[in-house]
Amino acid sequence: MNDPRIVRGNTYAAKVLTTSLKQEQQQQQKEKLRKVKQEENKRKILDNIRVSTPPPVEGRCHAFIQTENYLEELTDKPDEADAETQTQPFMDRPVSPLFVRSKTGHDATTQIEIGDLFDFDLEVEPILEVLCGKTIQNSMLELMQEEELEGIRREQEEFEAIRNIELAEVQRLEADARRKLQEKERRVQQEKKRLKERLELEEKIAARAFSNQYLSSLHTGVMEELFEDGYFYDPIKKEIEENVMKEIITGLKNRVQSYDLAQNMLEEILVQAGVKAKDMQKKSEECRKIKREQERREMELLALKKKEEEEAAAAARKAAEEAEAAAENQEVEE
């Protein structure tokens, strides 16, 4: 809820008007002007409309009469009369003198030299400092407010740009989802149509096979043709054709559907097996990498251990040689 009469933020700064707020204010002004014009038009229409008496009937005329409570004599010209008067002349009274109180006490004077009571240059300095400081402070505050408003406007423009980009992205995603849904529905319709055509084709094939089987023996004779047409029919054969053949065709359709289902399941199993094989291959490669890394670390540890042993052996040999040299020197000295 936004009320333009309520000021939010700093009252000294310029009011930031957004595009929607400007449009709303313009709309309100237009509504006010339209209402004022409507009221003026209604007032003019009511002023122009005057309630008048109906016209007189044929052979008569209206007479002007008074309808007030007090009757007045109607004349074309009112009565007029002149009257005069005379006053006695008097002299004007003089103006009363102002009251002046009698003087009491003794008069005394003194002399004040320049600079005795007030030094303007000295006294005005702090006042000027306060005024200048306050002016500079207000200027800095106004400048900071303008910079803040500029930053707010810049952030608002960035926000609107980001929002427009997000709206465009949302519209693109919605269009993509709508396109995928339409494509899915179209594929479903195509699959239904394909299955329907396949069923019709199977029925046509079964009918053709039945008709070929049914018409294969027409060359044998009229009786056989009449027999095949149904005039002379074998009840066992007819029962087989009506019941057993339908069951066979139905079972054949079920087998075809089962074959399609099994084929789809096999394709899915192959896809899943490929995915699992890729996963197992990745895992085996990772295990080999880990094993090679462990072997490399073990080799490094063995090398370090061997190097330490060699260094210890060298140090022991060196210590033994030094001990032998010291013993020899001692023997020589003795």
Side-chain angles (χ1 to χ4, degrees):
M1 184 175 181
N2 185 17
D3 192 349
R5 296 173 295 179
I6 298 174
V7 179
R8 301 183 183 276
N10 193 351
T11 56
Y12 294 98
K15 187 177 180 181
V16 179
L17 296 177
T18 60
T19 305
S20 59
L21 186 58
K22 288 180 180 179
Q23 292 178 358
E24 186 177 355
Q25 289 182 354
Q26 291 176 0
Q27 189 69 22
Q28 291 178 358
Q29 291 177 359
K30 289 180 181 180
E31 289 292 332
K32 288 181 181 178
L33 291 174
R34 186 175 60 80
K35 290 181 180 179
V36 170
K37 287 182 180 180
Q38 288 181 357
E39 291 178 358
E40 290 180 355
N41 293 331
K42 287 181 181 179
R43 194 180 300 110
K44 289 180 181 179
I45 293 169
L46 292 175
D47 292 339
N48 293 328
I49 296 173
R50 305 176 74 180
V51 179
S52 60
T53 57
V57 298
E58 186 178 358
R60 296 186 180 183
C61 63
H62 289 312
F64 296 96
I65 60 173
Q66 292 184 356
T67 58
E68 288 82 1
N69 294 328
Y70 301 96
L71 299 178
E72 295 180 1
E73 184 179 358
L74 300 176
T75 57
D76 294 336
K77 185 177 181 181
D79 294 337
E80 295 179 357
D82 297 333
E84 296 179 355
T85 182
Q86 180 66 37
T87 58
Q88 296 296 327
F90 289 99
M91 296 297 291
D92 292 335
R93 181 177 175 275
V95 179
S96 301
L98 295 174
F99 173 74
V100 180
R101 189 174 180 180
S102 62
K103 187 176 181 181
T104 60
H106 299 282
D107 295 334
T109 60
T110 183
Q111 180 66 30
I112 299 173
E113 298 296 336
I114 297 173
D116 290 343
L117 296 178
F118 181 75
D119 188 358
F120 179 78
D121 295 334
L122 183 63
E123 299 293 336
V124 82
E125 184 176 354
I127 299 173
L128 288 175
E129 288 180 356
V130 172
L131 292 175
C132 293
K134 193 66 176 177
T135 304
I136 294 171
Q137 184 182 3
N138 290 333
S139 302
M140 291 178 67
L141 288 174
E142 290 178 0
L143 182 61
M144 291 172 65
Q145 289 170 1
E146 291 177 359
E147 291 179 355
E148 184 178 359
L149 291 174
E150 182 67 21
I152 292 171
R153 184 184 61 77
R154 193 162 48 250
E155 288 180 359
Q156 186 176 4
E157 290 178 356
E158 292 177 358
F159 173 74
E160 289 179 355
I162 293 169
R163 184 182 62 181
N164 293 330
I165 293 170
E166 290 178 354
L167 288 175
E169 185 66 20
V170 170
Q171 291 176 359
R172 186 185 67 78
L173 293 175
E174 290 179 354
D176 193 8
R178 196 182 304 109
R179 182 180 59 77
K180 289 181 179 179
L181 181 61
Q182 292 176 358
E183 181 68 18
K184 182 179 178 181
E185 292 178 354
R186 187 174 65 80
R187 293 290 179 86
V188 171
Q189 295 294 331
Q190 287 180 356
E191 186 66 19
K192 289 182 179 179
K193 185 177 179 181
R194 187 184 66 81
L195 292 175
K196 185 177 179 181
E197 290 177 354
R198 185 170 181 175
L199 291 175
E200 290 178 355
L201 181 61
E202 290 177 356
E203 291 178 356
K204 288 180 181 179
I205 291 170
R208 185 173 181 179
F210 179 75
S211 62
N212 290 330
Q213 183 180 2
Y214 183 73
L215 299 175
S216 60
S217 59
L218 288 174
H219 61 281
T220 57
V222 177
M223 294 300 294
E224 294 180 358
E225 182 179 359
L226 293 174
F227 180 78
E228 291 176 358
D229 289 338
Y231 295 101
F232 304 100
Y233 60 89
D234 189 359
I236 298 173
K237 185 178 180 180
K238 187 174 182 181
E239 185 177 0
I240 291 171
E241 290 176 354
E242 290 180 354
N243 298 327
V244 178
M245 289 299 293
K246 287 183 179 180
E247 293 179 358
I248 292 171
I249 292 170
T250 304
L252 181 62
K253 290 180 180 179
N254 294 329
R255 287 186 179 181
V256 170
Q257 292 178 357
S258 300
Y259 175 74
D260 292 338
L261 182 61
Q263 185 177 1
N264 294 329
M265 292 176 66
L266 180 61
E267 290 177 356
E268 292 180 357
I269 291 168
L270 291 174
V271 171
Q272 292 177 0
V275 173
K276 288 183 178 179
K278 289 181 180 179
D279 293 338
M280 291 177 68
Q281 185 177 0
K282 288 180 180 179
K283 289 180 180 179
S284 62
E285 289 178 357
E286 291 177 355
C287 291
R288 285 196 294 272
K289 288 180 180 179
I290 293 168
K291 189 174 181 181
R292 285 197 295 270
E293 186 68 21
Q294 289 178 355
E295 290 177 355
R296 185 179 63 79
R297 290 180 180 178
E298 290 177 357
M299 293 295 291
E300 289 178 354
L301 291 173
L302 290 173
L304 290 173
K305 189 175 181 181
K306 187 176 181 182
K307 186 176 181 181
E308 289 177 355
E309 290 177 354
E310 290 177 356
E311 289 177 354
R317 287 195 301 271
K318 187 176 182 181
E321 291 175 357
E322 289 178 356
E324 290 177 359
E328 291 177 359
N329 291 330
Q330 189 176 4
E331 290 175 358
V332 171
E333 286 176 358
E334 290 177 355

